[in-house]
């Protein structure tokens, strides 16, 4: 008497199917919820080059990451806010001036916090904030 083949799915098949669905679902979730850097493609500011001759860089847009050190309190609020930002690179740390225009409506800036700034170098060598992200 010949044996009849079992019809149905074996437990090993179920486990394989569950594993495949988990991988597909996890990958889809990761793709849908990945964080994008809005400052991708923006060149990092070379602080050494900036400190040597800031006016040569005027009009250019850069990315600066650093810690807000202090705010110039005697600066008139109607003219915006001027901050000193500590930027660290492979050679050490230096301070650069960052100016937030009075009409800027982005994130509130606090001392001691790390930010990534998208800045434009003005003719006077001050970095004007175009965008910023708290890191």
């Amino acid at each position: 008497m010949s044996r009849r083949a079992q019809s149905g799915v074996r437990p090993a098949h179920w486990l394989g199917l569950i594993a495949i669905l988990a991988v597909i679902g996890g990958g889809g979730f990761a793709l849908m919820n990945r964080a994008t850097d809005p400052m991708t493609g923006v060149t990092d500011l070379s602080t050494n080059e900036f400190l040597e001759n800031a006016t040569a860089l005027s009009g250019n847009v850069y990315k600066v990451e650093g810690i807000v050190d202090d705010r110039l309190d005697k600066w008139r609020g109607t003219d915006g806010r001027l901050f000193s930002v500590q930027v660290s690179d492979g050679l050490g740390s230096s301070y650069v001036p960052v100016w937030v225009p009075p009409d800027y409506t982005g994130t509130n800036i606090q001392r001691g916090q790390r930010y990534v700034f998208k800045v434009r170098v003005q003719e006077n060598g001050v970095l004007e904030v175009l965008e910023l992200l708290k890191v």
Side-chain angles (χ1 to χ4, degrees):
M1 185 157 135
S2 64
R3 290 190 166 193
R4 212 166 126 191
Q6 288 184 351
S7 63
V9 182
R10 295 182 180 167
H13 292 137
W14 281 111
L15 290 175
L17 182 63
I18 291 172
I20 290 171
L21 290 176
V23 168
I24 291 172
F29 180 79
L31 285 174
M32 296 300 285
N33 293 314
R34 67 180 174 190
T36 58
D37 182 9
M39 295 187 199
T40 301
V42 180
T43 307
D44 289 331
L45 176 71
S46 168
T47 52
N48 290 335
E49 193 175 330
F50 174 75
L51 294 174
E52 284 178 15
N53 192 3
T55 56
L57 303 175
S58 65
N60 295 331
V61 175
Y62 296 99
K63 178 169 61 171
V64 175
E65 182 174 348
I67 298 172
V68 174
D69 178 55
D70 203 3
R71 185 177 116 200
L72 184 59
D73 290 329
K74 295 186 182 187
W75 190 269
R76 292 191 321 236
T78 57
D79 293 336
R81 296 174 292 159
L82 186 65
F83 292 94
S84 171
V85 176
Q86 181 181 9
V87 179
S88 298
D89 57 9
L91 304 173
S93 64
S94 52
Y95 295 88
V96 294
V98 174
W99 175 65
V100 180
D103 58 346
Y104 184 77
T105 58
T107 306
N108 190 24
I109 300 174
Q110 298 175 354
R111 294 179 199 148
Q113 299 294 316
R114 178 175 290 279
Y115 294 93
V116 176
F117 301 92
K118 181 177 179 181
V119 296
R120 179 183 309 121
V121 182
Q122 294 183 326
E123 291 178 4
N124 59 2
V126 174
L127 303 172
E128 176 187 3
V129 173
L130 303 174
E131 289 181 48
L132 68 96
L133 297 170
K134 185 174 180 181
V135 183

